[in-house]
Amino acid sequence: MQIFKQITDVFNWLESTGILAAIAALILVVIKQVQPYLKLHIKNKQINQVVQFALTTVTKFATLEGLSKSDRKKAADKDVADFADQLGLTWVTPEIVDSIVEAAYQQFKKLGYDNHAPKTSPEPTENSAAPQTPASSASSTAQVPTSKPENEAESASQAPQTIQSVANSGSDQNA
């Protein structure tokens, strides 16, 4: 009982001198100042999650040869939008998803992993008068040169930074 009386006396003294009100006001001001930072920090974490998922999704769909470019883009957009819905991110609009997926695909192409090299027919030469067998023509069209960076791990680690800047600019758009 003695401890309870001492706590009550301290509380009454803090209240009568105004210290309790000052502490409450200070706590309220700190919370109001920290709240925007926390919201921004949380949104940046959410953008990073969506960007990482977009990179994975673009990689998955860009290597499929059975889909056209527009079908791949639609499938990637749908997967990223579904992922954002699963996370409960209501601020993610179709325009934001589209810009994130496009930025991820551009980064994918910049790294040299795109398998959509335009198919060109060989230039007619003097030796082209000789008839080609189906096997030789199939092997010449199946060989599509792709250049990969020497240090793939370093290039892949740079991918989220480029896409992050595009994602941040897309998140500021009002749909």
Side-chain angles (χ1 to χ4, degrees):
M1 284 293 197
Q2 185 70 12
I3 295 175
F4 182 70
K5 183 178 182 325
Q6 288 176 344
I7 292 173
T8 306
D9 288 343
V10 169
F11 182 75
N12 287 336
W13 178 77
L14 288 173
E15 187 177 15
S16 67
T17 58
I19 295 175
L20 187 63
I23 291 173
L26 180 66
I27 290 172
L28 185 63
V29 167
V30 167
I31 288 173
K32 290 294 184 182
Q33 292 298 319
V34 171
Q35 186 178 13
Y37 169 76
L38 290 176
K39 283 184 179 181
L40 181 64
H41 181 70
I42 290 169
K43 191 169 186 177
N44 284 341
K45 290 283 187 181
Q46 292 170 343
I47 287 173
N48 286 338
Q49 285 179 321
V50 173
V51 166
Q52 290 299 322
F53 185 78
L55 285 169
T56 304
T57 302
V58 165
T59 303
K60 176 176 72 174
F61 286 118
T63 55
L64 294 177
E65 294 185 17
L67 296 174
S68 68
K69 286 184 179 182
S70 62
D71 289 342
R72 293 171 198 213
K73 176 115 172 66
K74 288 176 189 175
D77 283 351
K78 183 181 178 326
D79 273 7
V80 172
D82 289 345
F83 178 74
D85 286 342
Q86 287 175 351
L87 291 179
L89 307 178
T90 57
W91 55 267
V92 176
T93 63
E95 291 83 13
I96 292 173
V97 168
D98 188 52
S99 66
I100 289 173
V101 168
E102 182 62 31
Y105 182 68
Q106 293 304 321
Q107 184 64 30
F108 186 77
K109 282 183 8 181
K110 186 187 296 184
L111 293 174
Y113 296 127
D114 189 19
N115 65 355
H116 287 96
K119 294 181 181 179
T120 58
S121 59
E123 295 282 330
T125 60
E126 295 174 15
N127 295 337
S128 65
Q132 287 187 344
T133 63
S136 66
S137 65
S139 66
S140 66
T141 58
Q143 296 175 354
V144 178
T146 58
S147 62
K148 293 189 179 180
E150 292 178 9
N151 191 349
E152 293 175 5
E154 182 178 306
S155 298
S157 69
Q158 294 172 355
Q161 296 169 354
T162 304
I163 294 172
Q164 178 66 32
S165 63
V166 172
N168 284 340
S169 66
S171 66
D172 294 336
Q173 296 175 351
N174 293 329

